[in-house]
Amino acid sequence: MQTIDLRGVTCPTNFVMAKLELEDIEAGTTVEFLLDDGEPVKNVPRSLKDDGHKLLGLKEQDGYYTLLLEKGAD
Amino acid sequence: MAEQKIDLRNLKAGGFIKERGKDLFTVRLRVPGGRLSVDRLAKIAAVAQKYGKGYVHLSVRQSIELINVNFADFDAVVAELGEEQQKVASCGARVRVPTACGGCEYNPNGLVDTQKSALEVDEKLFGTATGHHKFKVCFAGCPFDCPKSAINDVGFQGAVWPSLDADACIGCGLCAKSCTEGALAMADGKPVFDAKKCIYCGDCIKVCPTSAWSAAKKGYTVRIGGKWGRRPLIGTLYATFVPEERVVDFIAAVLAWYQEKAEGAGRVRLGDIIIREGWQSLLNHLSRDFADFVVAETTAPQVIVNQIPLPGQA
Ligand code: HEM
Ligand code: HEM
Ligand code: SF4
Ligand code: SF4
Ligand code: SF4
């Protein structure tokens, strides 16, 4: 599974980077994003849901978060 | 009497404010909710170019103000603005143009249609004489409260009451992570809701991947009695989840109380009348028609200590 590391990237750059990465991925594929605590973990999942992707889960480890997501159809 | 050069009816409603210079006035325009079409904006620019100073001022309450307009040009200014349905705003002891944040069609935080509410209040209540002092209303789309509802005579703030369908929950924990108020905590893989901490922002509903959270109620949180200026007051909570379609009636009920209770008080804002009469009086008055929405109790408007004059200053 592809992992996209967005740690250290602030809002809204992290969301725009996530969008760009998802452009090259086929619908139905599962990917994970690494997100910082704070604004990123609050904002990025919600914005990706708004864009039509399916959120599958969120896990915390060592102070950051892993968001599991299935790419939606365009 | 000398022949009249201008139509005095245009002046009656206000919106023409005397400037320093001889014969010069500021013309304040009516822009409810701060939204205007680009065509109207272009017309305003053309009028400002022709009759004004070459600049405009954006007022704190979302009006565009034309600067340095000669009073002899009032009629022409009103007529030319009218070509794009642009009206002049009001001043004085009246219901002012309502302000509102951008609107939920494009702002991802918005929970209610603040633009629609602002237009409705502008249409039905703008210019209503209070008999006492100015009366300001604003609409915020969500608890971020960009329009600052608590410093208006009546301030509205969009709100939703979240309700959980536990069967639809996949236990991802996103809602608990999203809730900045600490109203949600995960226990045994499901969120536990602490109603005492919830501020009705709807972030949990927006983030939930399976729509396990939904809005059981939607409407406005209402604060009353705020103002800014020389002696600021912070408005306090009177009602929750007031439906959008009851907003005009609600304001009218507050106005009726103000008009009656401020009788003889002179130029006094609503918040100061509430302090004088006691919040119970206004709450009782509102519970007649809005029993389903008013809170059980509130507090007097909060006085803001602005530290001037300096203590000890003679
Ligand atoms: C796409 C996302 C967002 C948009 C388009 C947006 C837009 C705006 C705009 C236009 C205002 C100014 C409103 C006005 O004064 O007329 C504002 C104010 C504000 N925003 Fe945002 N915002 C966004 C996200 C956020 C986020 C994520 C936060 C905080 C976590 C936030 C917190 C605030 C606060 C607190 C204010 C009021 C500030 C004040 O005047 O005291 N906004 N926002
Ligand atoms: C010739 C007289 C006056 C003019 C031209 C004037 C003009 C204005 C203007 C342009 C604003 C800002 C509106 C906006 O940003 O949209 C304002 C706000 C305000 N004015 Fe005046 N004003 C006058 C007299 C007064 C007086 C006598 C008082 C109080 C006794 C007063 C109290 C306030 C307050 C409290 C605010 C802002 C805060 C609020 O609305 O709660 N003004 N005024
Ligand atoms: S009050 Fe809420 S909806 Fe309105 S502009 Fe601010 S964040 Fe957006
Ligand atoms: S509505 Fe806002 S404050 Fe209330 S539980 Fe949901 S996220 Fe928390
Ligand atoms: S976001 Fe939705 S699915 Fe995830 S834990 Fe909360 S209620 Fe359950």
Side-chain angles (χ1 to χ4, degrees), chain A residues 37 42 46 49 55 58 65, chain B residues 109 177-178 203 206 208:
Chain A
D37 199 359
K42 266 207 73 180
R46 182 171 133 186
K49 181 190 164 195
L55 310 183
L58 186 76
Y65 287 83
Chain B
N109 292 323
K177 193 60 220 167
S178 288
D203 285 355
K206 286 178 182 168
C208 177

Side-chain angles (χ1 to χ4, degrees), chain B residues 164 168-176 186 189 191 204 207-210 212-213:
Chain B
L164 181 70
C169 171
I170 56 169
C172 69
L174 275 160
C175 57
M186 297 300 287
C204 48
V207 79
C208 177
T210 63
W213 285 108

Side-chain angles (χ1 to χ4, degrees), chain B residues 177-204:
Chain B
K177 193 60 220 167
S178 288
C179 179
T180 30
E181 305 305 317
L184 298 176
M186 297 300 287
D188 299 328
K190 301 276 173 188
V192 179
F193 179 53
D194 180 355
K196 287 192 301 297
K197 291 185 177 160
C198 178
I199 62 163
Y200 325 137
C201 70
D203 285 355
C204 48

